[in-house]
Each structure stands twice: as C-alpha cells, then as structure tokens.
Amino acid sequence: MSDNPSFVLRAIEDVAYEQRAIPDIADNEVLVKVMKTGICGSDVHYLVHGRIGDFVVTNPMVLGHESSGIIYKVGSNVKNIKEGDRVAVEPGAGCRTCELCKAGRYELCADMKFAATPPYDGTLTRYYKVPADNAYPLPEGVSLEDGAMIEPLAVGVHSVSTLGQFRSGQSAVILGCGPVGLLCMAVAKALGAARVIAVDIVPARLEFAKQYAATHTYLPPSFNEGETKMEYSRRNAENMKKVLGITDRGKGGIDLVIDASGAEVSIQTGFFIVKTGGTMVQVGMGAPDVSINVGMLMTKELNYKGSFRYGPGDYPFAIELVAQGKIDLKPLVTHRYAFTDALVAFKATKAGKSEDGKGVIKAIISGPDVALETV
C-alpha cells in the first residue's frame, strides 16, 4: 500500500517528491498523519551541504523533523493515545537499553534514530511512525502549528531549564536571536526571569526580541582594526556590562548565558559576561574549533555545558508552557506554505526572507493535501 507523498533530498540542492511506502507499525508504535512541519536550520544545512559533521547523506532522505499531526493508527499495545488525537511528535528515539538511555539521557544514545538525520527519513511526508510515547497529545487551545513548534521549544526548555537550572528572579543573556535564541528567551521569561537580555548583530532581530520576550537588548560594536577576536570579546563584554549595569557578582550578575549563535566571539563574550559561579550553555552550533579563556573557566568556577536536542520531560514541559499561556508561539510563525511549495519554503528559510522581502523567523509547511488554514 502506498499513498505517502514525501519531500526527499536526493543530493546537494537536489530535491523531489516521491511516493514512499506507508510504514508498518509495531505493537508499541503509532502512525501519525503529519499535518504541520517547521523548517529547521539543520534541514537547510543538509539541503545545501549534504552533511552536518559526521552525519552524511549518502542515500535519498526525507527531510523535516519539527512536526505535529493526527494519530491515524495505533499498535495493539498502545494505551496512552487513540486514533484521531492531535499530537506533537518527538522525532528521535533511543535504544532504551544502553547506559545513557537508562540514566535518563537518551538524547546521547549512540543508536538514536532521529528524523532527517542520516540514514533515517524525516517527517515531510503524509504518514510517519513513532513509538507511542513519542507522540504527545495536544491540549485544547494548542494548535497544530503550536504542536510543530514544540520541537524547537523543547530545545529551549532543555537548554534553559533542564541544563541551565534557571530559576525565578535570575537573569539571563541570550546570544543570538534566531528561532532557538528567541525560544530560550521565552522559556526564561516564563520561568520568572528578572532580566532577559537579547544580543544580536542585526537590529531588526533585536527589535523583534524586545517585542517578544526580552527585557533588554544589546547591539555589539564593530571590530577595531587589528583587534583579535579575544580582545574584541573582552571589550564587547566590558561595554555590555557598562551599558546594562551588569556585575560579576550579586543581584546585578548574569546567572545564565545561552549561546544560540555558535559564533566564536559570542562564546568568548559569554565567558566574560556570566557571573562568578554562573552557568553557560552552548546550544548554537558553529565552527567546531574555537578559542576560550580556560583560566576564566577555572577561576570563576563556571559551569560550561553543551546542549544537544532534548531529553526526558522536556516535551511535556514545553507543551504545558504553551497550554498555560506562559509562552505564545504564534508570533514566531512568519510564513506558511503548502506541501507542494516545500522547496520555496526552504529557499526562503535559507535566504532569511521570502520573495516579497519579508523576514523569515519560522516557516511552516502543511502536510500533503492539508490546507494552510488548518489549525
């Protein structure tokens, strides 16, 4: 049986629509009819480069992993959800038996099967199967578009709450105002932040961040001639402290820095900005080799953590933040496309703006034969 149109990456900058077989499901799995899918930077990276680090596309691969849908079929042992339920889809499943899975860190499983990460197909298709506990029912008032946005929001929850251990009354600096950075700001605000400081080199992004979730914004200065990156980062941090009244200790200190840019100078600046004994979480991915001040890492006793996707509890927490009205995802969805216009959506995301010049924050692609206005 095959009625499963799919958006397939065949090679670099080479995509096509193909019919794929409808997946058979096991007793503990569900088949989801995909309704909405957001485009992630990683999807675009695979399209343009054919790889991300050691993950290389060697065979045709269905793109997409930020999805919501409706349960179409359930396995015989599934008790938590039923046909017709609206769900957010967590697109990665660990082996469930290794040391890290059993320790509650399944995002680090060596045998993780993650959508649109070679060699596994993604969710830009009509039907997609997942373990039943990877499909999370959407409460009333949480739309299917919201459901697709739960995936990047879970990244923010993992970085700010799970790893950053952020608490009410604390202050955070978010370096980078792309979708993940904005969602990290939203999580910090929802958790009762005293200050959420957004940093970016694009003024328009800072303006949006201030309207969305940031309490303060900061536009870094330009490089001075002959200045090294580390010299620039130190000067940038000192200026930021002066402008925003940031201190190294006490109430004026920055408890948590999230780097959502991956830029070397942002990472370096974060080390200078975070307070003594504070935490910095690396969620942005850029050049793999950067210079950091290890002496500062030691003498300030900083907690510098990497953040990779999300883990146990992050999806349910993200859904609750939306359901309770603490985070509004709707302002982030700037563009909507039919399934037949998936390539147009990818080109707009890659360019950062659509053909009409409107800036892209998040583009959502509807599933095959699903109307744009379906919520």
Side-chain angles (χ1 to χ4, degrees), residues 174-178 180-182 184 258-263 281-285:
I174 314 296
L175 300 158
C177 295
V180 170
L182 290 167
C184 286
I258 302 286
D259 179 64
S261 73
V281 175
Q282 187 66 46
V283 65
M285 183 178 292

Side-chain angles (χ1 to χ4, degrees), residues 62 81 94 96 109 122 130 159 163 195 204 255 271 275 299 314 326 350 367:
V62 179
I81 45 180
R96 301 173 185 254
C109 177
V130 292
S159 298
L163 295 176
R195 286 198 292 178
D255 302 278
F271 275 78
K275 77 177 188 180
T299 58
D314 293 330
K326 296 183 183 298
K350 175 186 173 184

Side-chain angles (χ1 to χ4, degrees), residues 118-288:
Y120 304 108
D121 284 327
T123 58
L124 276 170
T125 183
R126 190 191 301 277
Y127 298 112
Y128 186 77
K129 72 172 183 177
V130 292
D133 57 335
N134 277 40
Y136 297 87
L138 296 175
E140 186 176 351
V142 179
S143 71
L144 287 164
E145 280 192 353
D146 291 337
M149 290 289 291
I150 294 299
E151 198 276 347
L153 178 56
V155 173
V157 166
H158 191 65
S159 298
V160 176
S161 178
T162 305
L163 295 176
Q165 294 290 294
F166 195 74
R167 297 292 182 265
S168 178
Q170 293 185 330
S171 294
V173 166
I174 314 296
L175 300 158
C177 295
V180 170
L182 290 167
L183 288 167
C184 286
M185 295 174 210
V187 173
K189 179 181 178 181
L191 293 175
R195 286 198 292 178
V196 179
I197 301 170
V199 181
D200 204 286
I201 59 174
V202 180
R205 287 189 171 193
L206 291 175
E207 183 178 347
F208 183 90
K210 184 64 180 293
Q211 295 173 353
Y212 183 61
T215 60
H216 301 76
T217 61
Y218 176 76
L219 180 69
S222 300
F223 267 81
N224 289 333
E225 186 176 351
E227 194 173 33
T228 68
K229 288 183 177 180
M230 190 63 77
E231 289 169 344
Y232 168 81
S233 298
R234 186 185 296 274
R235 178 172 64 88
N236 182 38
E238 289 303 318
N239 184 63
M240 189 174 172
K241 289 178 180 179
K242 181 179 178 180
V243 170
L244 294 170
I246 295 171
T247 60
D248 287 326
R249 301 168 188 268
K251 293 292 289 184
I254 300 300
D255 302 278
L256 176 65
V257 170
I258 302 286
D259 179 64
S261 73
E264 184 170 14
V265 292
S266 290
I267 297 168
Q268 293 169 346
T269 298
F271 275 78
F272 288 114
I273 284 294
V274 67
K275 77 177 188 180
T276 298
T279 297
M280 180 167 168
V281 175
Q282 187 66 46
V283 65
M285 183 178 292

